[in-house]
Amino acid sequence: MSEGGEEVSNKQILLRDYVTGFPKESDMVLKTGTIQLKVPKGSKSIVVKNLYLSCDPRMRIKMTKLDVSSNYFDFFTPGSPIVGFGVAKVLDSGHPDFKEGDLVWGTTGWEEYSLIEAPETLFKITHTDVPLSYYTGLLCMPGLTAYAEFYEVCTPKKGEYVFVSAASGAVGQLVGQFSKLMGCYVVGSAGSKQKVDLLKNKLGFDDAFNYKEEHDLNAALKRYFPEGIDIYFDNVGGSMLDAVLLNMRVQGRIALCGLISQYNNLDKPEGIHNLFCVVTKRIRMEGFVVFDYYPIYPRFLELALQYIKEGKIVYLEDRIEGLENAPSALIRLLTGQNVGKQVVVVAHE
Amino acid sequence: MSEGGEEVSNKQILLRDYVTGFPKESDMVLKTGTIQLKVPKGSKSIVVKNLYLSCDPRMRIKMTKLDVSSNYFDFFTPGSPIVGFGVAKVLDSGHPDFKEGDLVWGTTGWEEYSLIEAPETLFKITHTDVPLSYYTGLLCMPGLTAYAEFYEVCTPKKGEYVFVSAASGAVGQLVGQFSKLMGCYVVGSAGSKQKVDLLKNKLGFDDAFNYKEEHDLNAALKRYFPEGIDIYFDNVGGSMLDAVLLNMRVQGRIALCGLISQYNNLDKPEGIHNLFCVVTKRIRMEGFVVFDYYPIYPRFLELALQYIKEGKIVYLEDRIEGLENAPSALIRLLTGQNVGKQVVVVAHE
């Protein structure tokens, strides 16, 4: 033990090795190490106890090292803990902006305790009258994604036709609700009857369908959108995007948020064949990375908290208890078995 | 003869039948009919003598009847004359806005004389101190396309890196010159050494390459754009678009103007595999149809005429003499044998 720091055992979830194809639970491994609960003297780092961890589709991308140049990727390191968003409590701080007992959300490790060397990247949680786990979803990156991408990229107008894929997921469920608040007609697609029921009966979508039961996505979209689609909020890519292109209206907008259908074969992704519709229908298609919108987070947070208080939005979470079950939670998400935002509960404060 | 109207013979180029795959000259047929050179009494139509006809890539699309819903398509009718842009002289008019001797540009038939029933769609030519054939290209739809799409869709900034495909074509050559006037660095691709030389030595491109000599388009683009591409003005689609996606810079813009590489198999177009880059690099990709920009034509015309007078832009035409050679001219364009805007000279006034 150094300088009075308490050394404790620290369970961690490590990436075993870079993954090819579909990841499995066994690509991750539980290891028990140790950690000092005090920050090194003179350091500006903090030590946190992780409470909630977020499972996000883009974590799949970081499990495979790809040669794609962009500042989007920060691959996992085999033999090191998985890295992701989480909610944590500060146990010790060498940084002037943080003190013991503070609650934070941001990038942390998949472990019980983390030493965070650049705590400036974390957001301090000041509103605690909502479930803290919401800071892995609705009040964190997925919420800001839904908000900024829907309002800033999709530029919705009242009465427009909106389609959302992966609609019961962390981002999709919010886009649907924002669409209704905007006075749009919104249909969602999801991968099970249970999710479709939730979209229609709990999340306020005007309609919803199970894409796995549709052999002809083009025909399905024609059925749900006889007038065509003004806005497509794309969380999946692939054949759904191709079918949507055929059903877009003139001057429609497509927000490309994620392409989860392609994440297991990003080195050889499926082709999109109907881009010609982008020309003929003057479609605007725009990619999105939430980090660009961090400056508007405070404005978003205020609105989201108000919406929660007024009961204007609801938020579905799929919680799994225990760090040891985190690999299973991530695989659940990547195979679409989760219902709502997938969260791992590491500790209840 | 009716009401004193002079009936004359009228050579026409008809579409024989809808085309599958690559069109050939024999898909069009020369026929000699007759036409009255006076408009029917009480009609608001006009009769014109066609002077110059425009060959445009999108004419290929109209040669095959596709089931793609959009107001972009107005297919040719087998057994009827090909329809396209042209410059013509009014011989007789029942319309108050037109009189004998007026020069017009707009949609006309591939024939010596045309009866135009809705002359409101035509633009009257009032500046005749430039070659009249320019009203099939630089001062017509291709010019307005280059202007509006470059400035309105690509939102260029000084110093940005611009790539143009089909760069010596009617639209591409102008985009390159607008890029230079804007202070951008611009590289063009074309399909022959002659075109590449013209791009570099006559049209002012900073650099150019022959895509047919590049086995690896991705590698070629990396060579010409070591810093990446900010703006891609896409006239071709297909594998070039896929390679460009890998080389775009963050927050780049792609204007989809045409996809000539796909026009012979629009019912089964090539797949685009690298759309994931649109997400990771926050790319905006936008389709464009020039008709949406007709309201700004007067502003564009004024600027273009001024540029011509000041010698700030040059314009390359590839002229073919004689209506009977129009099918050959169109096939030249569709197989990339033309050098500059492909024009058919039907009559010299």
Side-chain angles (χ1 to χ4, degrees):
Chain A
M1 278 180 44
S2 69
E3 301 168 38
E6 185 191 355
E7 187 173 87
V8 299
S9 80
N10 189 23
K11 278 192 254 175
Q12 302 181 306
I13 304 293
L14 316 181
L15 180 69
R16 196 188 288 273
D17 204 351
Y18 286 124
V19 171
T20 309
F22 287 86
K24 329 173 275 304
E25 281 186 44
S26 59
D27 290 320
M28 293 163 273
V29 58
L30 177 74
K31 186 192 135 191
T32 303
T34 57
I35 187 170
Q36 303 279 350
L37 293 188
K38 292 278 176 204
V39 299
K41 208 168 182 178
S43 141
K44 287 202 164 176
S45 56
I46 66 174
V47 172
V48 299
K49 178 182 183 185
N50 292 308
L51 305 177
Y52 300 97
L53 297 174
S54 174
C55 295
D56 294 295
R58 71 185 59 193
M59 296 173 81
R60 169 63 191 88
I61 307 170
K62 303 183 176 196
M63 296 174 104
T64 302
K65 198 151 192 176
L66 283 174
D67 178 30
V68 181
S69 63
S70 130
N71 57 0
Y72 185 69
F73 297 101
D74 198 7
F75 298 102
F76 295 148
T77 309
S80 291
I82 302 280
V83 171
F85 282 101
V87 171
K89 189 176 190 170
V90 178
L91 298 183
D92 189 32
S93 171
H95 195 285
D97 293 349
F98 298 91
K99 62 176 196 304
E100 190 187 331
D102 279 351
L103 291 164
V104 294
W105 74 262
T107 300
T108 187
W110 276 31
E111 53 194 350
E112 290 177 285
Y113 304 96
S114 297
L115 173 72
I116 297 178
E117 290 180 344
E120 310 79 57
T121 64
L122 300 174
F123 291 82
K124 226 190 284 195
I125 295 173
T126 52
H127 297 87
T128 54
D129 51 347
V130 290
L132 278 184
S133 58
Y134 279 18
Y135 288 94
T136 66
L138 167 53
L139 301 177
C140 155
M141 188 269 291
L144 181 59
T145 298
Y147 173 78
E149 187 156 11
F150 183 63
Y151 290 106
E152 312 262 330
V153 178
C154 299
T155 56
K157 288 185 282 293
K158 191 177 167 178
E160 286 194 318
Y161 297 95
V162 179
F163 177 53
V164 187
S165 55
S168 70
V171 174
Q173 59 175 298
L174 291 171
V175 173
Q177 294 179 80
F178 290 146
S179 299
K180 289 316 298 173
L181 288 169
M182 182 53 118
C184 298
Y185 180 86
V186 61
V187 177
S189 66
S192 74
K193 184 177 181 310
Q194 182 193 8
K195 291 180 185 179
V196 167
D197 288 346
L198 283 169
L199 290 171
K200 292 200 278 194
N201 303 322
K202 189 158 170 76
L203 294 167
F205 282 66
D206 292 294
D207 216 331
F209 65 92
N210 180 351
Y211 71 91
K212 291 181 181 167
E213 286 179 353
E214 302 290 345
H215 298 296
D216 181 343
L217 292 174
N218 180 19
L221 291 169
K222 284 199 173 21
R223 212 162 65 234
Y224 288 97
F225 294 99
E227 307 288 326
I229 300 167
D230 292 297
I231 293 172
Y232 175 40
F233 196 102
D234 187 9
N235 291 305
V236 303
S239 55
M240 183 65 94
L241 174 57
D242 241 349
V244 167
L245 283 165
L246 297 175
N247 288 282
M248 289 298 288
R249 302 179 87 184
V250 167
Q251 287 173 337
R253 289 131 271 153
I254 297 179
L256 291 187
C257 176
L259 305 173
I260 196 172
S261 73
Q262 305 302 309
Y263 286 173
N264 295 309
N265 59 338
L266 270 181
D267 51 340
K268 210 180 169 182
E270 210 176 331
I272 297 297
H273 297 270
N274 297 324
L275 276 189
F276 187 61
C277 298
V278 174
V279 181
T280 59
K281 299 176 186 175
R282 305 80 135 166
I283 293 168
R284 176 161 52 80
M285 197 174 208
E286 204 161 336
F288 181 92
V289 173
V290 69
F291 314 119
D292 295 338
Y293 289 87
Y294 273 5
I296 68 166
Y297 176 71
R299 165 155 62 98
F300 159 71
L301 181 66
E302 198 180 329
L303 182 81
L305 289 168
Q306 190 189 322
Y307 278 170
I308 296 172
K309 266 178 211 134
E310 294 171 355
K312 282 190 179 162
I313 44 177
V314 295
Y315 197 61
L316 295 184
E317 287 187 331
D318 190 327
R319 286 160 164 246
I320 280 199
E321 294 277 337
L323 179 67
E324 64 281 9
N325 294 317
S328 150
L330 183 56
I331 299 302
R332 273 172 66 80
L333 172 82
L334 296 178
T335 51
Q337 295 172 69
N338 63 310
V339 179
K341 168 70 194 175
Q342 184 71 61
V343 182
V344 177
V345 184
V346 182
H348 296 265
E349 281 210 59
Chain B
M1 280 178 48
S2 69
E3 301 167 39
E6 186 193 351
E7 188 175 86
V8 299
S9 80
N10 190 23
K11 278 192 253 174
Q12 303 181 305
I13 304 293
L14 317 180
L15 180 70
R16 198 188 288 273
D17 203 351
Y18 286 123
V19 171
T20 310
F22 287 85
K24 329 174 275 304
E25 283 186 43
S26 61
D27 289 320
M28 292 162 274
V29 58
L30 177 74
K31 187 193 135 191
T32 303
T34 58
I35 186 169
Q36 301 279 349
L37 292 189
K38 291 278 176 202
V39 298
K41 208 169 182 179
S43 141
K44 289 203 163 175
S45 55
I46 65 175
V47 173
V48 299
K49 179 182 182 186
N50 292 308
L51 305 178
Y52 300 97
L53 296 175
S54 173
C55 295
D56 294 295
R58 70 185 60 193
M59 296 173 82
R60 169 62 190 90
I61 306 170
K62 302 183 176 198
M63 297 175 106
T64 303
K65 199 152 192 176
L66 283 175
D67 178 30
V68 181
S69 63
S70 132
N71 56 0
Y72 184 69
F73 297 103
D74 198 7
F75 298 102
F76 296 148
T77 308
S80 291
I82 303 280
V83 172
F85 283 100
V87 172
K89 189 175 189 170
V90 178
L91 298 184
D92 189 31
S93 170
H95 195 286
D97 293 350
F98 298 91
K99 62 176 196 303
E100 191 187 330
D102 279 350
L103 292 163
V104 294
W105 74 262
T107 300
T108 187
W110 277 30
E111 53 193 350
E112 289 177 285
Y113 304 97
S114 296
L115 173 71
I116 296 178
E117 290 180 344
E120 311 80 58
T121 63
L122 300 174
F123 290 81
K124 226 189 285 194
I125 295 174
T126 51
H127 296 87
T128 55
D129 51 348
V130 290
L132 278 184
S133 58
Y134 279 18
Y135 288 94
T136 67
L138 168 53
L139 301 177
C140 156
M141 188 269 292
L144 181 59
T145 298
Y147 173 78
E149 188 157 10
F150 183 64
Y151 291 106
E152 312 263 329
V153 178
C154 299
T155 57
K157 287 185 284 290
K158 192 177 166 177
E160 285 193 319
Y161 296 96
V162 179
F163 176 53
V164 188
S165 54
S168 70
V171 175
Q173 59 175 295
L174 292 171
V175 174
Q177 295 178 80
F178 290 147
S179 298
K180 289 315 298 174
L181 288 169
M182 183 53 117
C184 299
Y185 180 87
V186 61
V187 177
S189 67
S192 74
K193 184 178 181 310
Q194 183 192 7
K195 292 180 186 180
V196 167
D197 289 345
L198 284 168
L199 290 172
K200 291 199 279 192
N201 303 323
K202 189 157 171 79
L203 294 167
F205 282 66
D206 292 295
D207 216 331
F209 65 93
N210 180 351
Y211 72 90
K212 290 180 181 167
E213 287 180 352
E214 301 291 344
H215 298 295
D216 181 343
L217 293 174
N218 180 18
L221 291 168
K222 284 198 172 20
R223 212 163 65 234
Y224 287 97
F225 293 99
E227 307 287 327
I229 299 166
D230 292 297
I231 292 172
Y232 174 41
F233 196 102
D234 186 10
N235 291 305
V236 303
S239 55
M240 184 65 94
L241 174 57
D242 240 349
V244 167
L245 282 166
L246 296 175
N247 288 282
M248 289 298 288
R249 302 181 87 183
V250 166
Q251 286 172 337
R253 288 131 272 151
I254 297 179
L256 291 187
C257 176
L259 306 173
I260 196 171
S261 72
Q262 304 302 307
Y263 286 174
N264 295 308
N265 59 339
L266 271 181
D267 51 339
K268 210 180 170 181
E270 209 176 332
I272 298 296
H273 297 269
N274 297 325
L275 276 188
F276 187 61
C277 298
V278 175
V279 181
T280 59
K281 299 176 185 175
R282 305 81 135 164
I283 293 168
R284 175 160 54 80
M285 196 175 210
E286 204 161 337
F288 181 91
V289 173
V290 69
F291 314 119
D292 295 338
Y293 289 86
Y294 273 5
I296 68 167
Y297 177 71
R299 163 155 63 98
F300 159 71
L301 180 65
E302 199 180 330
L303 182 81
L305 289 167
Q306 190 190 322
Y307 278 170
I308 296 172
K309 267 179 212 136
E310 295 171 354
K312 283 191 179 161
I313 45 178
V314 295
Y315 196 61
L316 295 184
E317 286 188 331
D318 190 328
R319 286 158 164 246
I320 280 199
E321 293 278 337
L323 179 67
E324 64 281 10
N325 294 317
S328 150
L330 183 55
I331 300 301
R332 274 173 66 79
L333 172 81
L334 297 178
T335 51
Q337 294 172 69
N338 63 308
V339 178
K341 167 69 193 175
Q342 184 70 60
V343 182
V344 177
V345 184
V346 182
H348 295 266
E349 280 211 58

